[in-house]
Amino acid sequence: MLTQCSHCKKTYSLSIEELRSAPTMLYCPHCEEMLGRLNIFQASFFRSGENNSPHSLLWAAGFLASVLLFLTQLYLLQRDRLSQKPEQRVWLEKICHLLPCHLPAYKNLDEFEIMHGAFRPVDNHYVFQTVLSNQADFAQQYPRIKLNLLDFSGHIFAERVFYPHEYLDPAPTELMPASETIEVTLNIAQPSQKVGGYTFDLI
């Protein structure tokens, strides 16, 4: 460790053993001014490699472990929400390429583009058609399609939700890739009430 004379500012190196065996008061060998006990204890702030005790290393290791545990818990609690945000998902996917982790499937309905929609009578039934495109930068879940039938007053009198396995053949086993476009065709049975219009939503 290092200590410094408050009078001549000369710096001396002292070991722990020398400090323990020293008298109550020490004198500077250069200017012979007395070094008080306070100066000796202040010198402990200038320790170099001598402070790497096992206790210090254990404390540092425990602190790092606590930080890692906190970050892991934060990730597990916020994983679903963060993984649905494009900015955060880019980094989370990079991390999961390095670590054995799995992200929930991406789903953002705002990033589906509806390029076409039609509902027309054919023989004794109706045909619903639409074209969907995944504009996200990530593969995401195929959406469900909620079809609403309207009367001539514009009120909904029938509705149904179609799942991906119902409007895709063969049924999808994976996510819809980024930039992929699909065409959907559904045959709808003739309802008992006349159809005045239709709407549909992705859910």
Side-chain angles (χ1 to χ4, degrees), residues 55-80:
H55 293 292
S56 300
L57 295 176
L58 286 174
W59 186 90
F63 175 76
L64 289 176
S66 299
V67 171
L68 289 175
L69 180 61
F70 171 75
L71 292 176
T72 301
Q73 291 176 333
L74 182 64
Y75 164 73
L76 292 175
L77 290 173
Q78 300 294 325
R79 179 183 59 178
D80 290 355

Side-chain angles (χ1 to χ4, degrees), residues 23-81:
T24 304
M25 297 295 180
L26 297 178
Y27 293 86
C28 174
H30 181 70
C31 66
E32 297 186 350
E33 285 291 324
M34 185 170 58
L35 300 174
R37 180 182 295 273
L38 180 60
N39 287 343
I40 296 298
F41 280 101
Q42 286 176 332
S44 65
F45 290 99
F46 295 97
R47 288 182 181 178
S48 56
E50 294 181 71
N51 66 339
N52 292 329
S53 65
H55 293 292
S56 300
L57 295 176
L58 286 174
W59 186 90
F63 175 76
L64 289 176
S66 299
V67 171
L68 289 175
L69 180 61
F70 171 75
L71 292 176
T72 301
Q73 291 176 333
L74 182 64
Y75 164 73
L76 292 175
L77 290 173
Q78 300 294 325
R79 179 183 59 178
D80 290 355
R81 184 178 64 85

Side-chain angles (χ1 to χ4, degrees), residues 1-6 8-14 28-30 35 43 46:
M1 69 172 60
L2 298 177
T3 187
Q4 187 181 55
C5 176
S6 59
C8 66
K9 306 302 182 184
K10 186 171 180 63
T11 302
Y12 300 95
S13 175
L14 292 175
C28 174
H30 181 70
L35 300 174
F46 295 97

